[in-house]
Structures are given as C-alpha cells and as structure tokens.
Amino acid sequence: MRRLLIATAVYAVSVLAAHAAEKAAPLAKVTVVFDQVLPNVPGKSMKGVLVEYGPGGSSPAHIHAPSAFIYATVLEGAIRSQVNDGPAKVFHKGENFFERPGDRHAVSANASDTDPAKLLAVFVVDTKDKELTTSIAK
C-alpha cells in the first residue's frame, strides 16, 4: 500500500510539473543585428536588437542600460508593452513606442497566443554600456 501511495504521489508531481512547463510562456529570441559607434556623437553607439516572440511568448520585466534611449517598431504581429506604471498597450505591425533612460519595462509580450510577433528595438546608448537588458522582479 505504501509503495502504491508513493508511486501515485510521484506520478502526480510529474504530471503537474509537465503541465506547468506547458503553461510557461516561451522566452523571446533576442539578436543584436547592428552595433555602430556614432562618429558625430562621442561616446555613443546605436544598436539594433531584433526581438522575436513565438505565440504566447514574453520577456521578463526588465530595465535597460542606464544611458539607453530606445525606439521600437513592431515588424510583425502585435506586442503588448507596459513601461513604468503606465497602462499596458498593444502595438501592431508598423506601430512604435519608445523608452527613456531609466524606464522600467514591466510587460513585453506577444499579444497573440497563436501568431508570432517581432520588433526591432534601436538603442542609442553609451558605447561603454555592454549589458543592454537586466531582468527585474515584478
């Protein structure tokens, strides 16, 4: 009887763990697509970052390099975004938004559970800043 209870408990835990893994939203694929020192702005660089979300994908809450000004354009699908304590908004293909230095990006996610989404984030940042994104606790 004891073995049956243990086996049942192990099975239940494994089923719950598998279910939780299925429910977890996949993370974004992030690729730096260009990195160029700005010759007419000493100490600054421009970096292009392609962010690709699968259906239901998201990024954890985060902040960017302290010097970063970011202009993002949705290239495909729809992106749900919330900056600081503002309202969460959905941006569709061709729409854009920006983040100022020091802003907190509380929500960054694909607005669809069935279609992929993609955005290009262009950073103007201090050249010395190598870490562009740091996750934070919500």
Side-chain angles (χ1 to χ4, degrees):
M1 182 66 164
R2 185 177 183 163
R3 286 184 189 177
L4 179 60
L5 287 174
I6 291 171
T8 302
V10 168
Y11 176 76
V13 168
S14 64
V15 167
L16 290 173
H19 182 66
E22 287 177 5
K23 289 282 187 189
L27 294 178
K29 178 182 176 190
V30 178
T31 308
V32 176
V33 294
F34 67 87
D35 184 350
Q36 181 64 51
V37 171
L38 296 174
N40 59 338
V41 186
K44 293 289 186 177
S45 290
M46 183 178 288
K47 300 179 186 216
V49 178
L50 181 64
V51 181
E52 300 173 87
Y53 293 108
S58 65
S59 299
H62 58 273
I63 56 173
H64 293 289
S67 65
F69 177 84
I70 303 151
Y71 187 81
T73 300
V74 179
L75 303 175
E76 177 183 334
I79 303 290
R80 186 173 46 261
S81 180
Q82 180 186 17
V83 177
N84 296 323
D85 295 323
K89 296 180 184 176
V90 175
F91 298 89
H92 297 86
K93 181 178 178 179
E95 295 181 324
N96 50 67
F97 59 92
F98 64 90
E99 295 177 53
R100 292 181 177 95
D103 281 351
R104 179 178 38 86
H105 204 161
V107 175
S108 184
N110 186 341
S112 172
D113 289 330
T114 57
D115 298 317
K118 205 180 288 188
L119 69 85
L120 177 64
V122 178
F123 288 66
V124 176
V125 64
D126 288 349
T127 301
K128 67 179 173 55
D129 288 340
K130 300 301 179 194
E131 195 69 37
L132 295 179
T133 303
T134 303
S135 294
I136 57 173
K138 284 187 176 184

